[in-house]
Amino acid sequence: MANALEINDLTTRVSGYTILDKLNLSVEQGELRVLLGPNGAGKTTLIDMITGRYKPASGKIYFEGRDITGMPPDRIFNAGISRKFQVPNMYETLSVFDNVMVSLKGRRKVFAMLFQRLMPTDKDKIWEILELVKLADKADDPADSLSHGERQWLELGMLVAADPRLLLLDEPTTGMTKEGKEKTANLIQEIAQRHTVLVVEHDMDIVRQIAHKVTVMHQGQVLAEGPLQEVVANETVKEVYLGKGRRGHGA
């Protein structure tokens, strides 16, 4: 079986700066991988490349053995890759229930869907997702009434509703309370039981809670990779996180 994600010699340049420099990365099917690195390492740029937001200067991106390099974002989404941004993206005036409903796989025409009769299986799926993200009691509430953490959980639920095979989560615990972060970490672990997940995260308490294998990026390349305990003991990784390493230019 092909890896969920295979990155080969990926290079990206912006305004003359090299953001990703012949980056190589593999993520196995069903894996929960955490991506670490200081600011400027190229983590978000890598996610931009995978989701087709920008095109690489060179190199290849394979999803389940299929070359998706340079594909438009909608084709990459339809292929089975979904992304969560740092700022939640949802329909503010729709209810929590309806936000999940319009995100269901195969139901992408938002306004038409609001007037369609839901199949019992669709209703069951929506309630299952709302229970997963602990928002069933707020199903009828408008999305814009939710707290910051609840909005993050709703967007995770919307991503799950689309039934992607690979989820890319960019700093999903940003701005949360300690309790909210722990709840999100538990949710990510539950989601990872049924999906391949790649997480960019800075909070090391959360990383310790969810990580099995981590990849550390620096200056657009993989600096270290392996079990969390081995990686955090790596002297070069320590230097980079202490700010002694020379910084790159990409986000």
Side-chain angles (χ1 to χ4, degrees):
M1 181 184 295
N3 283 329
L5 185 66
E6 192 80 38
I7 309 291
N8 293 340
D9 291 331
L10 198 67
T11 298
T12 304
R13 297 186 183 92
V14 178
S15 301
Y17 292 111
T18 298
I19 311 300
L20 300 178
D21 188 8
K22 295 183 178 179
L23 178 74
N24 290 284
L25 176 69
S26 296
V27 178
E28 296 179 2
Q29 296 279 3
E31 184 180 351
L32 169 55
R33 177 74 64 88
V34 178
L35 198 59
L36 302 173
N39 291 332
K43 305 180 299 297
T44 296
T45 299
L46 174 58
I47 292 180
D48 287 338
M49 296 295 111
I50 296 169
T51 53
R53 188 176 185 187
Y54 303 115
K55 294 183 179 180
S58 62
K60 291 289 185 179
I61 304 171
Y62 296 95
F63 173 56
E64 298 179 341
R66 178 185 180 186
D67 186 354
I68 62 169
T69 314
M71 272 189 187
D74 60 333
R75 285 187 62 194
I76 292 174
F77 172 83
N78 289 331
I81 299 177
S82 289
R83 171 184 188 170
K84 186 190 181 308
F85 290 88
Q86 294 177 24
V87 178
N89 182 26
M90 60 195 60
Y91 301 98
E92 301 280 348
T93 58
L94 294 186
S95 70
V96 169
F97 184 96
D98 285 347
N99 266 280
V100 176
M101 178 186 70
V102 299
S103 302
L104 288 174
K105 185 177 183 180
R107 300 173 67 92
R108 302 296 296 171
K109 294 183 179 179
V110 176
F111 293 106
M113 283 182 56
L114 294 176
F115 300 99
Q116 290 177 4
R117 186 179 182 87
L118 270 179
M119 298 291 289
T121 52
D122 287 338
K123 285 186 178 179
D124 290 345
K125 181 66 174 178
I126 293 168
W127 284 110
E128 178 185 327
I129 291 170
L130 291 176
E131 291 287 350
L132 172 69
V133 299
K134 307 298 189 290
L135 290 176
D137 61 334
K138 295 181 179 290
D140 294 328
D141 295 356
D144 62 6
S145 71
L146 299 179
S147 68
H148 172 72
E150 290 168 341
R151 291 164 68 88
Q152 300 281 7
W153 302 326
L154 174 56
E155 191 182 22
L156 283 171
M158 293 168 67
L159 291 181
V160 171
D163 199 24
R165 295 189 299 282
L166 173 62
L167 276 78
L168 307 173
L169 309 181
D170 193 0
E171 298 187 36
T173 66
T174 298
M176 288 188 180
T177 63
K178 182 178 179 181
E179 181 182 358
K181 288 181 177 183
E182 291 177 355
K183 182 175 176 179
T184 303
N186 290 331
L187 178 55
I188 291 170
Q189 288 176 304
E190 287 192 57
I191 291 172
Q193 292 177 15
R194 286 174 281 183
H195 305 267
T196 305
V197 182
L198 177 63
V199 186
V200 174
E201 184 54 70
H202 282 293
D203 189 312
M204 289 305 295
D205 288 336
I206 300 304
V207 173
R208 291 186 188 95
Q209 186 174 340
I210 67 174
H212 297 286
K213 185 175 182 180
V214 301
T215 298
V216 180
M217 289 179 61
H218 182 50
Q219 298 179 344
Q221 297 179 325
V222 172
L223 177 68
E225 189 171 86
L228 179 62
Q229 293 304 112
E230 291 182 12
V231 169
V232 296
N234 183 301
E235 291 300 323
T236 307
V237 171
K238 289 180 181 178
E239 287 185 10
V240 166
Y241 268 98
L242 288 170
K244 297 176 183 178
R246 185 169 50 88
R247 293 188 180 273
H249 300 277

